[in-house]
């Protein structure tokens, strides 16, 4: 028989996406941690559901960050002030 040699298996790395909360001076705001998401889309949908709560906590900007450190274009979202 013919033996086939298998190559090493490669783990597929899926980047994680998380939000960092900033105040109006650009300093980090303590508060609930963002869950990690497997897609930018899911992270943005979630922010759409919670932005009012974060704004009420003093968050002025939500910054989307990718877990592998790659630069994320257009990743800062300014939150309207809570009313």
């Amino acid at each position: 028989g013919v033996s086939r040699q298998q190559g090493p298996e490669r783990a597929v790395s899926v980047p994680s996406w998380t939000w960092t909360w900033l105040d109006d001076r650009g300093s980090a705001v303590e508060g609930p941690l963002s869950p990690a998401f497997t897609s930018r889309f899911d992270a943005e949908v979630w922010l759409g559901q919670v932005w009012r709560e974060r704004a009420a906590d003093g968050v002025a900007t939500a910054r989307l960050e990718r877990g592998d450190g790659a630069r994320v274009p257009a990743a800062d979202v300014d939150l309207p002030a809570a009313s």
Side-chain angles (χ1 to χ4, degrees), residues 25-38:
R25 292 180 304 223
S27 298
V29 173
E30 296 295 323
L33 295 177
S34 162
F37 299 93
T38 57

Side-chain angles (χ1 to χ4, degrees), residues 1-2 6 10-11 20 22 24 29-31 33 36 39-40 44 48 53-54 63 65-66 75 78-79:
V2 176
Q6 297 286 329
R10 292 185 182 194
T20 298
L22 306 173
D24 57 1
V29 173
E30 296 295 323
L33 295 177
S39 75
R40 182 175 182 162
E44 290 174 344
E53 296 163 24
R54 298 293 78 83
R63 175 170 292 157
E65 297 179 344
R66 206 165 99 172
D78 293 330
L79 305 182

Side-chain angles (χ1 to χ4, degrees), residues 55-67:
D57 292 338
V59 173
T61 302
R63 175 170 292 157
L64 186 58
E65 297 179 344
R66 206 165 99 172

Side-chain angles (χ1 to χ4, degrees), residues 15-17 40 63-76:
S16 63
W17 300 82
R40 182 175 182 162
R63 175 170 292 157
L64 186 58
E65 297 179 344
R66 206 165 99 172
D68 62 5
R71 184 178 174 279
V72 181
D76 288 359

Side-chain angles (χ1 to χ4, degrees), residues 40-53:
R40 182 175 182 162
F41 176 81
D42 290 342
E44 290 174 344
V45 168
W46 180 81
L47 181 64
Q49 297 169 355
V50 302
W51 71 267
R52 288 175 185 84
E53 296 163 24

